Amino acid sequence: MQIRAFEIKDEDGVDALLKAAFPGPEEARLVIALRAADADTLELVADDHGRIVGTVMFSPVTTRVEDGDDLFGVGLGPVAVMPEHQSRGIGTALIEAGIDYLATLGVPWCVLLGDPDYYQRFDFKPAASWNWSWAGDPDGACAPAFQVRPLITGSAPSGKVATVHYHPAFLGV
Ligand SMILES: CC(C)(COP(=O)(O)OP(=O)(O)OC[C@H]1O[C@@H](n2cnc3c(N)ncnc32)[C@H](O)[C@@H]1OP(=O)(O)O)[C@@H](O)C(=O)NCCC(=O)NCCS
């Protein structure tokens, strides 16, 4: 099994995987929309002898700080592993490979929406601890699932209140 960058020939494999791992087609549509919008900052696949068994996407995210500054980072997701290949470390390998690579590029931080029980192993913390909230969650109902981690030393912001915006491609799916 190899973790490698997505190639065009993987389109059908990733699509099938996302439809198998998630209950609906939204995540598969989202990945197609992100690629079409050139918002696929980093897309990795787990390739098991030519079969795509895992995938992770990172896309650009803008954080609007209350005093008017914009900060730029990435959002993780979707991430998925073929049901019959889950709990073998493939999700961990994809996420860690992506985070390590983005850190070498100097990307300062990564946000995500997901189960804290899974993502705390990668040192993600509630974004609320940075005073950040997700623009798509004005009443804060998803706050525990909205998480962040710095990718490079010193990239944690000042603690000013800020709102995080995913790429507009997320709104169309
Ligand atoms: C979440 C997912 C990508 C993890 O991939 P994976 O290859 O199975 O994960 P790993 O093998 O690296 O890690 C497995 C561990 O994660 C745990 N885990 C998986 N999903 C979890 C969740 N939602 N909440 C808490 N723990 C979870 C497993 O119980 C296992 O725990 P263990 O290490 O104590 O045995 C995969 O389960 C998946 O595709 N799920 C369906 C799609 C999905 O929900 N994607 C994430 C959306 S936020």
Side-chain angles (χ1 to χ4, degrees), residues 1-2 4 10 13-14 16-17 20 45-54 82-85 88:
M1 216 255 330
Q2 185 194 8
R4 61 166 174 79
D10 304 322
V14 170
L17 159 58
V45 295
D47 177 337
D48 184 23
H49 299 95
R51 185 169 178 238
I52 303 302
V53 297
M82 257 319 171
E84 65 270 28
H85 289 267
R88 295 181 188 168

Side-chain angles (χ1 to χ4, degrees), residues 91-161:
T92 297
L94 283 162
I95 292 168
E96 287 183 344
I99 281 176
D100 287 352
Y101 180 66
L102 291 163
T104 66
L105 297 182
V107 175
W109 42 260
C110 178
V111 295
L112 62 83
L113 273 162
D115 189 335
D117 286 345
Y118 184 59
Y119 291 103
Q120 67 187 6
R121 71 190 65 200
F122 306 105
D123 288 334
F124 281 89
K125 304 268 186 296
S129 65
W130 284 13
N131 265 341
W132 287 13
S133 58
W134 171 37
D137 180 35
D139 59 4
C142 300
F146 187 55
Q147 298 157 73
V148 67
R149 70 159 265 187
L151 301 190
I152 54 176
T153 309
S155 66
S158 60
K160 288 182 182 170
V161 173

Side-chain angles (χ1 to χ4, degrees), residues 9-101:
K9 66 175 185 187
D10 304 322
E11 268 179 334
D12 290 349
V14 170
D15 195 64
L17 159 58
L18 290 166
K19 286 173 178 162
F22 287 98
E26 292 79 12
E27 285 78 8
R29 282 193 205 135
L30 171 61
V31 164
I32 291 168
L34 287 168
R35 288 188 203 125
D38 207 14
D40 48 343
T41 304
L42 178 65
E43 183 174 5
L44 299 178
V45 295
D47 177 337
D48 184 23
H49 299 95
R51 185 169 178 238
I52 303 302
V53 297
T55 180
V56 65
M57 175 70 92
F58 295 85
S59 60
V61 163
T62 305
T63 294
R64 304 236 151 90
V65 184
E66 214 173 45
D67 68 7
D69 290 344
D70 280 352
L71 308 174
F72 301 100
V74 294
L76 187 167
V79 55
V81 172
M82 257 319 171
E84 65 270 28
H85 289 267
Q86 290 177 7
S87 290
R88 295 181 188 168
I90 297 173
T92 297
L94 283 162
I95 292 168
E96 287 183 344
I99 281 176
D100 287 352
Y101 180 66

